[in-house]
Amino acid sequence: MGTKLGIGLLGLGTVGAGVAGILQAPEGRHPLVAELELVRVAVRDLQRPRPIELRPSLVTNNPQAVVDDPSVQVVVEVMGGIEPARTLIMRAIAAGKAVVTANKAVIARHGEEIASAAAAAGVYVLIEAAVGGGIPIIEPLKQSLGGNRIERVSGIINGTTNYILSRMAQEGVAYDDVLKTAQDLGYAEADPAADVEGFDAADKIAILTGLAFGGPVDRDSIPTQGINNLQSRDVDYATQLGYRVKLLAIAERLNSDAQTSQSLPLAVRVQPTMIPLDHPLAGVNGVNNAILVEGDPIGRVMFYGPGAGSGPTASAVVADILNIAGIRQLGEINGSLDPLLAASSWRSCHLVDPSAILQRNYVRFNAEDTPGVIGRIGSCFGDRGISIQSIVQFDASDAGAEIVVITHEISQGQMQDALTAITSMAEVKGLAAHLSCL
Amino acid sequence: MGTKLGIGLLGLGTVGAGVAGILQAPEGRHPLVAELELVRVAVRDLQRPRPIELRPSLVTNNPQAVVDDPSVQVVVEVMGGIEPARTLIMRAIAAGKAVVTANKAVIARHGEEIASAAAAAGVYVLIEAAVGGGIPIIEPLKQSLGGNRIERVSGIINGTTNYILSRMAQEGVAYDDVLKTAQDLGYAEADPAADVEGFDAADKIAILTGLAFGGPVDRDSIPTQGINNLQSRDVDYATQLGYRVKLLAIAERLNSDAQTSQSLPLAVRVQPTMIPLDHPLAGVNGVNNAILVEGDPIGRVMFYGPGAGSGPTASAVVADILNIAGIRQLGEINGSLDPLLAASSWRSCHLVDPSAILQRNYVRFNAEDTPGVIGRIGSCFGDRGISIQSIVQFDASDAGAEIVVITHEISQGQMQDALTAITSMAEVKGLAAHLSCL
Ligand SMILES: NC(=O)c1ccc[n+]([C@@H]2O[C@H](COP(=O)([O-])OP(=O)(O)OC[C@H]3O[C@@H](n4cnc5c(N)ncnc54)[C@H](OP(=O)(O)O)[C@@H]3O)[C@@H](O)[C@H]2O)c1
Ligand SMILES: NC(=O)c1ccc[n+]([C@@H]2O[C@H](COP(=O)([O-])OP(=O)(O)OC[C@H]3O[C@@H](n4cnc5c(N)ncnc54)[C@H](OP(=O)(O)O)[C@@H]3O)[C@@H](O)[C@H]2O)c1
């Protein structure tokens, strides 16, 4: 098999230590794992105790030294954050080295820049670990599902929020209490904002969108609603109505007849969503992730598994390294490579205005318990051509009447109109919740 | 992108027509689809009307002419059966052409011969469509999960039987009645033996085993039990006890500490299995398939989707063709390729004796309704060191007492001992059912 492939790790935290663990114990794995050699590792704090034993000469606190080391052929960036990660990735590419990264934040924001640089340099940048932890989803979208016209990608792609939502549904616990336990158990960070406010899921759906539909979209324009304002009351009502609340990231083509020559309109968003119990995503609990891909002619496929954690994420990183090792085994390659996002830049895509997004809605109003209020709220929807699937009054002794409405599919612009009209009704005290609904 | 890649189709039935349909409408799919050109198609009956319009000059009833056509660079074998499929695949390889096939029967039986020939000729033979229809599972096992030590692959990999079992469970219909409807609906063949007797699932698990554990196993030695003798009574009892009955194919390493230098002992089998309701495979209904892969360090990942049908299966075939087209885009390759099963022949594996298979069991006895019979059956297990999870007497007015036992995990050798002893008890009329249990 010739000389080993030199691997340089940037970071030896949760993911980095997992990767080093696999490389140190190749037995029973794909035979190419034994052809990988960990030659350099960067950390921030040289004194910190590590779960992995490494020759001290391997470890440095200068990440640039790892990138520049001539024995490093593949740079594995598992340090996180935007900088210096981005600069180090660009430096590796410029040096003609392959890059593997788990860093969704960098790829969601600088993916295009990185992909063009990689294409120009003829090197690979692979990102399987950036979405879905151990679940293979990047490769399927790039290749195994390539024969399809993708209609929609939707998924539970943040394990922390799914853990919180699962416990809220199963035990009726309030958001703040579950978050605290999740932090104690290490399932949520001390600063949980990126997870609970939906930004992590938005990074990931931005990446999946580019791969599924063939063109990058502006990460910062993705409408994003987290679970931090979700009330356990709505989780309970969801259960009573036959739904589960999940933080769902969705990307779908809006006009399925659009010519490929025009820019493709996409509706992309992250939001708490009521999922009917018989939907395959409804049963995804705990820190698991699942991604559903719908397309023609495949129909629906779902990928399910551990969305984070040392071992699963390291599994995805090593998959990418093996990919590079396999290509290298093909011998000297004379043509140009197909780096990461090249295959995702064959078409122009754009995000539609949020008011054009079509979806079913769950809304909850606080209202006075006066006769006929349900009818008047219903008419307000009906007058605007919004058909309703169900309208239910729940008794919330503390809050007067609570009226929950589930609509059929409607544009968010029309929905806003109706909500404005309803909340200005004298007997309606306010809009207490507005979720999306599958 | 240069000249198009010439595709020759052997067969234009369910799958072949799906493939032709994708190639004829590349819009919205991976851009490489537009670089594929259908140049020759073989069918058996030139007169038969087809759902796909093709220039008559493309179509022949001589499949060898497709393989030999110099404009055909990739031979897509979707005709089925062992011969002439095998000979045509070997002929394509000998001519240096890449092969894509959906034919699990040929690959399960002649995979090694085909893989060696492919390795010698330096061509690809890809088989994504042979298992799981549209679900990407071959590629993940070959590559995306390559960093893992696989412990177990289990799955619902026959859509026909899963459709039958789902309807039996949901509607309490008898096996024969559902089979008939399934045949009328086209979900089951006129001759359903390959599906309902488990042979199709055995072909597929043989293929998955080779890829997951790195060495081929003898297809014909895989213990295989179908659903053709399954009684609706056991499906009902399963439901009452909190299980679903599924036809499960399982491959697992028995001795997880075995040195890789020794032959790896594997327990592989196909059998109706009781699956607890909270298990991810329990909710897989209708013609869907799902494959669960368990390994270190990934834990568990599941792949779910349509396991058969024209569109899904064609999606997998086209994925393989795209793979070949992508590699070709890399330019002239000087090294040797990594054909299909090469990566699955890096280790020696063998099937353990069926008596060594460890599993939980569901057994049902017909017995006389005499006091203490449950106790005596229980003791018979206990005396042989078999611990029992539950023992329940169901009242079957027509058949005296029915005693259902669910055991903890035990070798099938020990289980047989106990069953022999119990069925020789005077008050036990017979063993009415014996299923496996997760
Ligand atoms: N954890 C997961 O489950 C998971 C899942 C999917 C993707 N990811 C992504 O994987 C990446 C790594 O995550 P993680 O959880 O492994 O993070 P982590 O546990 O915080 O580890 C980060 C590692 O990078 C090192 N590092 C950070 N900045 C550095 C610098 N400037 N110079 C040198 N070394 C530096 C740290 O060194 P010290 O140890 O000395 O501090 C640490 O070893 C992130 O992009 C994350 O989003 C993580
Ligand atoms: N159907 C599925 O959902 C599915 C899923 C996964 C895998 N597969 C596999 O895919 C393969 C094809 O399945 P299928 O369902 O598409 O079969 P099918 O509908 O029976 O089609 C077979 C095609 O091959 C042609 N053919 C058969 N023998 C031939 C011969 N000797 N010379 C020339 N042409 C010949 C037939 O020609 P005529 O049309 O003229 O008879 C027909 O077009 C099988 O290996 C099957 O196991 C099928």
Side-chain angles (χ1 to χ4, degrees):
Chain A
M1 297 215 173
T3 53
K4 295 195 171 188
L5 188 66
I7 310 298
L9 268 185
L10 303 178
L12 193 68
T14 306
V15 181
V19 172
I22 294 177
L23 300 186
Q24 286 185 347
E27 307 81 34
R29 312 185 197 279
H30 192 290
L32 274 180
V33 176
E35 306 301 313
L36 311 176
E37 187 174 356
L38 189 55
V39 292
R40 215 72 206 281
V41 178
V43 298
R44 200 163 21 194
D45 176 356
L46 288 169
Q47 307 313 319
R48 176 177 300 192
R50 307 281 166 187
I52 285 283
E53 262 195 60
L54 292 175
R55 260 185 298 123
S57 63
L58 248 55
V59 188
T60 168
N61 59 4
N62 176 2
Q64 196 169 305
V66 173
V67 174
D68 295 347
D69 188 320
S71 66
V72 168
Q73 293 159 286
V74 180
V75 172
V76 176
E77 188 275 299
V78 285
M79 56 199 288
I82 304 290
E83 286 295 353
R86 181 189 142 276
T87 302
L88 291 164
I89 290 172
M90 294 299 283
R91 188 176 177 98
I93 293 169
K97 303 192 176 191
V99 174
V100 172
T101 176
N103 194 328
K104 51 245 173 186
V106 159
I107 296 298
R109 284 173 189 75
H110 303 288
E112 274 188 271
E113 175 194 15
I114 290 171
S116 326
V123 301
Y124 275 86
V125 177
L126 299 182
I127 60 167
E128 186 59 71
V131 184
I135 306 170
I137 180 61
I138 301 292
E139 191 289 329
L141 283 178
K142 283 172 67 179
Q143 180 183 306
S144 297
L145 302 173
N148 292 278
R149 198 177 76 147
I150 305 296
E151 301 293 340
R152 181 186 292 113
V153 177
S154 52
I156 296 169
I157 50 181
N158 180 275
T160 304
T161 48
N162 202 50
Y163 171 82
I164 295 174
L165 292 172
S166 302
R167 290 208 46 208
M168 285 175 77
Q170 283 155 10
E171 300 161 39
V173 201
Y175 169 76
D176 289 327
D177 298 337
V178 192
L179 174 59
K180 213 192 147 301
T181 331
Q183 285 170 324
D184 293 346
L185 288 170
Y187 291 158
E189 313 263 335
D191 174 5
D195 291 318
V196 301
E197 295 178 20
F199 305 139
D200 175 76
D203 283 350
K204 292 169 178 169
I205 196 70
I207 295 171
L208 296 182
T209 302
L211 294 169
F213 298 101
V217 292
D218 177 27
R219 153 74 185 83
D220 293 324
S221 305
I222 296 175
T224 303
Q225 184 187 345
I227 64 163
N228 46 318
N229 294 317
L230 186 71
Q231 294 174 42
S232 43
R233 181 161 286 172
D234 294 301
V235 175
D236 290 349
Y237 291 166
T239 306
Q240 292 180 47
L241 295 166
Y243 294 85
R244 288 276 175 275
V245 180
K246 299 289 180 190
L247 184 65
L248 210 65
I250 305 184
E252 60 193 349
R253 64 166 80 219
L254 257 207
N255 174 359
S256 35
D257 301 324
Q259 297 293 314
T260 37
S261 53
Q262 299 164 1
S263 177
L264 188 72
L266 299 175
V268 182
R269 69 273 195 194
V270 172
Q271 65 201 135
T273 302
M274 313 245 305
I275 301 181
L277 281 181
D278 61 357
H279 190 283
L281 291 172
V284 176
N285 288 318
V287 292
N288 285 305
N289 283 14
I291 298 127
L292 191 67
V293 181
E294 292 165 77
D296 168 73
I298 198 169
R300 265 180 173 188
V301 276
M302 189 175 82
F303 302 82
Y304 166 93
S310 180
T313 311
S315 162
V317 168
V318 173
D320 282 345
I321 304 177
L322 288 177
N323 202 340
I324 291 161
I327 291 284
R328 173 171 167 269
Q329 261 206 335
L330 294 177
E332 278 309 311
I333 287 164
N334 302 325
S336 72
L337 297 182
D338 164 34
L340 161 61
L341 298 170
S344 89
S345 302
W346 46 276
R347 181 161 60 194
S348 159
C349 294
H350 65 277
L351 298 178
V352 298
D353 187 88
S355 67
I357 292 176
L358 295 171
Q359 65 185 26
R360 296 174 67 217
N361 300 271
Y362 162 102
V363 282
R364 174 165 60 88
F365 303 101
N366 291 329
E368 279 162 32
D369 193 2
T370 51
V373 62
I374 283 202
R376 284 187 295 279
I377 288 179
S379 307
C380 239
F381 282 114
D383 294 347
R384 285 160 186 82
I386 302 178
S387 61
I388 281 175
Q389 184 202 294
S390 67
I391 178 159
V392 181
Q393 175 161 350
F394 286 95
D395 220 8
S397 34
D398 55 335
E402 291 211 306
I403 294 167
V404 166
V405 181
I406 295 182
T407 73
H408 285 298
E409 193 171 85
I410 191 73
S411 81
Q412 288 308 287
Q414 281 174 280
M415 190 66 195
Q416 271 313 326
D417 273 359
L419 293 179
T420 307
I422 293 168
T423 49
S424 65
M425 285 166 59
E427 59 223 290
V428 173
K429 290 189 255 172
L431 176 68
H434 180 186
L435 310 184
S436 135
C437 203
L438 282 196
Chain B
M1 296 214 174
T3 54
K4 295 195 171 187
L5 189 67
I7 310 298
L9 268 186
L10 303 178
L12 193 67
T14 306
V15 181
V19 173
I22 294 177
L23 300 186
Q24 287 185 347
E27 308 80 36
R29 312 185 196 280
H30 191 291
L32 274 180
V33 176
E35 306 301 313
L36 310 176
E37 187 174 356
L38 189 56
V39 291
R40 215 71 206 281
V41 179
V43 297
R44 201 162 21 194
D45 176 357
L46 288 169
Q47 306 314 319
R48 176 177 300 191
R50 307 281 167 187
I52 284 284
E53 261 193 63
L54 292 175
R55 259 185 297 123
S57 62
L58 248 57
V59 188
T60 168
N61 59 3
N62 176 3
Q64 198 169 305
V66 173
V67 174
D68 295 347
D69 189 320
S71 66
V72 169
Q73 292 160 286
V74 181
V75 172
V76 176
E77 188 275 299
V78 285
M79 57 199 286
I82 304 290
E83 286 295 353
R86 180 188 142 275
T87 302
L88 291 164
I89 290 172
M90 295 298 285
R91 188 175 178 99
I93 292 169
K97 302 190 177 190
V99 174
V100 172
T101 176
N103 194 327
K104 52 245 172 184
V106 159
I107 295 299
R109 285 173 188 76
H110 304 287
E112 273 187 272
E113 176 195 12
I114 290 171
S116 325
V123 300
Y124 275 84
V125 176
L126 299 182
I127 60 168
E128 186 60 70
V131 184
I135 307 170
I137 180 61
I138 301 291
E139 190 290 330
L141 282 178
K142 283 171 68 177
Q143 179 182 307
S144 297
L145 302 173
N148 292 276
R149 200 178 74 149
I150 306 295
E151 300 293 341
R152 180 185 293 112
V153 177
S154 53
I156 295 169
I157 50 181
N158 180 274
T160 304
T161 49
N162 202 51
Y163 171 82
I164 295 174
L165 292 172
S166 302
R167 289 209 43 209
M168 284 175 77
Q170 283 155 9
E171 300 160 39
V173 202
Y175 168 76
D176 290 325
D177 298 337
V178 192
L179 174 59
K180 216 195 145 301
T181 332
Q183 286 169 324
D184 293 346
L185 288 170
Y187 292 157
E189 313 263 335
D191 175 5
D195 291 319
V196 301
E197 294 178 20
F199 306 138
D200 175 77
D203 283 349
K204 292 169 178 169
I205 195 70
I207 295 172
L208 296 182
T209 302
L211 294 169
F213 298 101
V217 292
D218 177 27
R219 153 75 185 80
D220 293 323
S221 305
I222 296 174
T224 303
Q225 184 187 346
I227 65 161
N228 46 317
N229 294 316
L230 186 71
Q231 294 173 43
S232 42
R233 182 160 286 170
D234 295 301
V235 175
D236 290 350
Y237 292 166
T239 306
Q240 292 181 47
L241 295 165
Y243 295 86
R244 287 276 174 276
V245 180
K246 300 288 181 191
L247 184 65
L248 211 66
I250 305 184
E252 60 194 348
R253 65 166 79 219
L254 258 206
N255 175 359
S256 34
D257 301 325
Q259 297 293 315
T260 37
S261 53
Q262 298 164 2
S263 176
L264 188 72
L266 299 175
V268 182
R269 70 273 193 194
V270 173
Q271 66 202 127
T273 303
M274 313 246 305
I275 301 182
L277 280 181
D278 61 357
H279 189 283
L281 291 172
V284 176
N285 287 319
V287 292
N288 286 305
N289 283 14
I291 298 127
L292 191 67
V293 181
E294 293 166 75
D296 168 74
I298 199 171
R300 267 179 171 188
V301 276
M302 189 175 83
F303 302 82
Y304 166 94
S310 179
T313 312
S315 161
V317 168
V318 174
D320 282 346
I321 303 177
L322 289 177
N323 202 339
I324 291 161
I327 291 285
R328 174 170 165 269
Q329 262 206 335
L330 295 177
E332 277 310 310
I333 286 163
N334 302 324
S336 73
L337 298 182
D338 164 33
L340 157 64
L341 298 170
S344 90
S345 302
W346 45 276
R347 180 160 61 193
S348 159
C349 294
H350 65 275
L351 298 178
V352 298
D353 187 87
S355 67
I357 292 177
L358 295 171
Q359 66 185 24
R360 295 174 68 217
N361 299 270
Y362 162 101
V363 282
R364 173 164 61 88
F365 303 101
N366 291 328
E368 279 161 32
D369 194 1
T370 51
V373 61
I374 283 203
R376 284 187 294 278
I377 289 179
S379 308
C380 238
F381 282 113
D383 293 348
R384 285 160 184 81
I386 302 177
S387 62
I388 280 175
Q389 184 201 294
S390 68
I391 179 160
V392 181
Q393 175 160 349
F394 287 94
D395 221 7
S397 33
D398 55 335
E402 292 210 305
I403 294 167
V404 166
V405 182
I406 295 181
T407 73
H408 285 298
E409 193 171 84
I410 191 73
S411 81
Q412 288 309 287
Q414 282 174 280
M415 189 67 194
Q416 271 313 326
D417 273 0
L419 293 179
T420 307
I422 293 168
T423 49
S424 65
M425 285 166 59
E427 58 223 293
V428 173
K429 291 188 254 173
L431 176 66
H434 180 185
L435 311 185
S436 134
C437 203
L438 283 195

